[in-house]
Each structure stands twice: as C-alpha cells, then as structure tokens.
Amino acid sequence: MNINELKYFIKVAEAKSLSKAANELFISYQGLSKSLKNLEIELGCPLFEKNRFAAKLTEYGEELYRSAKLIVGEWENLQLSLGQIQRRKNKLFHIGIAMGVDIPFPDFHRRLDQFLTNHGDVIMIDAWDSYCEEKLESGELDIAVTFGPVDEQHFDSTRLLQGSLAAIVDDHHPLAERDTLSIADLQGQKIITVNRYFRNYDILMQACLAQGFKPDIVLNTVNLTATLIACQDKNTIGISNNLSYFKKTVVGYRIIPVAGPNTTCQINLLIHSKQRKNKEILRLKQELMRCLFVDSESLAKELR
C-alpha cells in the first residue's frame, strides 16, 4: 500500500464514480481500477459494492475511508512541514507557472525577469496545470499560477481572469459564421486540443460528458501551427480557451467562444490552503500580484 493508492481510493469514494475520479486524477480508468484492486487484495476485503453505475463503499470501505482521510491529511502536513524546513535551510521559494497563463498579460516576461531580479530567493518553474497543483500539495511549490477552476478545498485561489472554452475553425468551416458555439455543436466534430495534463482537457471532457457524448479527440498538441494545419479539414475544430487566444487574430481562421454550463476557464494564483497564515508566502504572493498581474482587472473588463 502506498499513499497514492489511498488518495485514489478517497477520490473514487467521494466522486462515487471510477470514470469521474479517473478524469479528475488525470489517469486512465484501467490504471485506477487496477490500483483499487491491488488495495483490496492487500487488505483482504472488498472496498466497493459491485455496481456498474456507481462506486458505493462497503462497510470495509467506509472504515478505510475514515482512516485514509486522516492518514493522507497527516502525510500532506508532513510534506509541507519538511518542505518548509528545506526552504528555510536553502532560503529559496519555488513558484510554478503553467504553460499559456502568460498570454493575456502585457509584457509578462519582461515583468517576470524584473521580479526574479528583485527576488534572488525565488526559483521559477514552467510546467502544466496538474503538475503545479500536485507540487503545491506536496510542498515542493509555494505558489502557482494555473488555469482553473481548481479544488478550493485544497487551494487558496485568487482569480486573475475568467473566460470560457473557445474554438478555432477555418474560415470555410460550416460553423465559422457563428458568434458563439455550444458544447452540443462539438458532437460529431474532430477535435484538436491539449493533453490530459492541462486543465482545458478536463473542462472539455467534463462539459461533453455532461451533454451525453465523448469528444472525438484526434490530436493532442499545444502547438498552434499544428492546430491550424489540422483545422484545414472542414470537419475539424481546435479547442482551447479565449484566454489563450486573447486578442489574437489568425488570418484565415475564426476564434469563437464556446458558451454554456461547465465551459468556464480561469487563470488563478494559488497557494496551498494550509499556507494561508504563512506570512512569507503571503508577502511573496502579493508582490507577485503587483508585479505580474497588475492589469488583471482591466483585462477582465475586455473579456466581458
């Protein structure tokens, strides 16, 4: 038994669905099912009732759930404490920046260079959304800027911008004349989007599944050029969000918001919820806000 198996078990118990938990954990359904089976074999008892439509805890599962929550909570506290000790020794802070969050903010990289010049005790890490959140939970990152929504039970989140999913289509695509699209419009279309480590993938999957279909994703890429080439097929749509495509025009293509329930995208500044009283991290968070995201309010008005 390892701590990840307990985390997976807790997620399935709370989601009451293996497929939903697998999507939220960014792992395969088969991998999650195997992890739970290994846990049941090791403990020698069934943790979930056999049911095709829902993951319902057995009496054994209920008992494990109560204990697992305590064990995982203590483990996370220990990781945070050890990380703080290590950073105090090294006198370093670690900030994660998810790919793409810089796009809406003017002079982001110049401002970032200035911030790092003024803060020699900060190490900046470029990564993807799920990595940043995972490392915040483990205490390896102190602050992160990611796409959301995020789990606000685990993270103290400051929303910088909010938008929606957006489609990029060739000018000759049948949907190119539309001002907005709905999730239902994506059914039957070939979809190009990022991979499962990025928040946009999760938002797209959940929104489509809520409408009763699974999107036909034919290519996972973060490369705009690859997306544009693939979108020359008149049945293909690129999906990102209107924050990543903010103020961007691409000759020969249209960028169209995808409106409706479950399509909201955000850019958030995060710290772990257990760091809310850490004065050093709160100070650094405020300085990061002032330096990099001073324009967030005016940018938000332009998106409305």
Side-chain angles (χ1 to χ4, degrees):
M1 183 189 305
N2 61 51
I3 201 71
N4 279 336
E5 287 179 337
L6 289 180
K7 288 181 178 181
Y8 293 168
F9 165 76
I10 290 170
K11 178 62 76 173
V12 174
E14 292 177 346
K16 296 181 172 59
S17 163
L18 258 74
S19 58
K20 183 178 179 182
N23 283 332
E24 292 178 1
L25 290 165
F26 301 102
I27 63 174
S28 70
Y29 180 95
Q30 293 80 4
L32 181 57
S33 179
K34 183 178 179 181
S35 174
L36 294 178
K37 188 65 178 176
N38 290 341
L39 197 55
E40 289 182 325
I41 291 171
E42 185 171 353
L43 294 173
C45 57
L47 301 174
F48 293 93
E49 295 180 3
K50 296 188 182 302
N51 188 317
R52 289 178 56 196
F53 304 104
K56 185 178 180 182
L57 290 171
T58 63
E59 185 178 354
Y60 301 107
E62 294 280 3
E63 182 64 27
L64 177 61
Y65 177 77
R66 287 189 287 271
S67 298
K69 289 285 284 185
L70 295 173
I71 293 168
V72 170
E74 287 301 311
W75 175 256
E76 290 176 349
N77 286 336
L78 176 60
Q79 284 185 304
L80 285 171
S81 298
L82 294 176
Q84 288 170 3
I85 292 170
Q86 187 64 46
R87 282 190 292 277
R88 282 200 301 270
K89 286 181 175 293
N90 296 333
K91 297 183 179 179
L92 292 174
F93 295 95
H94 294 78
I95 298 176
I97 303 288
M99 297 175 188
V101 298
D102 59 305
I103 293 172
F105 298 99
D107 298 324
F108 180 91
H109 293 285
R110 180 187 62 77
R111 294 181 183 186
L112 178 58
D113 288 342
Q114 185 62 52
F115 178 82
L116 293 175
T117 299
N118 295 338
H119 296 82
D121 57 349
V122 169
I123 294 175
M124 198 70 68
I125 298 169
D126 291 320
W128 49 91
D129 303 301
S130 60
Y131 178 92
C132 288
E133 292 175 19
E134 177 187 326
K135 297 306 178 184
L136 268 181
E137 287 207 66
S138 69
E140 295 172 68
L141 286 179
D142 300 292
I143 299 172
V145 186
T146 71
F147 285 106
V150 297
D151 183 349
E152 297 196 359
Q153 288 186 334
H154 285 86
F155 304 112
D156 188 80
S157 172
T158 300
R159 186 181 306 165
L160 303 172
L161 284 177
Q162 179 162 303
S164 70
L165 291 178
I168 183 165
V169 299
D170 184 274
D171 275 344
H172 299 97
H173 191 284
L175 298 175
E177 298 304 315
R178 299 273 293 275
D179 291 327
T180 61
L181 300 178
S182 68
I183 287 295
D185 291 322
L186 305 184
Q187 189 167 9
Q189 300 286 337
K190 298 175 184 176
I191 302 293
I192 303 162
T193 191
V194 292
N195 64 37
R196 62 190 179 89
Y197 297 109
F198 292 85
R199 182 66 62 224
N200 284 338
Y201 178 92
D202 188 42
I203 295 170
L204 173 64
M205 289 295 295
Q206 295 299 328
C208 290
L209 291 173
Q211 290 292 313
F213 71 96
K214 187 175 181 180
D216 181 14
I217 298 174
V218 296
L219 177 65
N220 295 109
T221 182
V222 296
N223 187 291
L224 179 59
T225 301
T227 300
L228 296 178
I229 292 171
C231 282
Q232 291 173 3
D233 179 337
K234 304 305 182 292
N235 293 317
T236 303
I237 293 179
I239 295 292
S240 182
N241 59 61
N242 64 347
L243 303 176
S244 295
Y245 291 141
F246 187 63
K247 289 186 174 179
K248 184 176 287 188
T249 57
V250 184
V251 176
Y253 298 85
R254 286 206 64 215
I255 296 165
I256 309 172
V258 180
N262 307 312
T263 63
T264 297
C265 299
Q266 302 162 351
I267 296 178
N268 296 315
L269 184 61
L270 309 178
I271 62 172
H272 197 286
S273 59
K274 293 174 181 174
Q275 300 282 30
R276 286 173 179 154
K277 296 183 179 180
N278 186 315
K279 292 181 180 179
E280 288 184 316
I281 290 177
L282 291 176
R283 172 189 57 78
L284 195 63
K285 176 185 172 183
Q286 290 302 317
E287 291 176 8
L288 189 66
M289 282 280 294
R290 284 195 297 270
C291 183
L292 296 183
F293 306 114
V294 66
D295 302 309
S296 59
E297 287 188 15
S298 59
L299 291 173
K301 291 178 182 177
E302 293 184 48
L303 280 165
R304 292 184 189 130

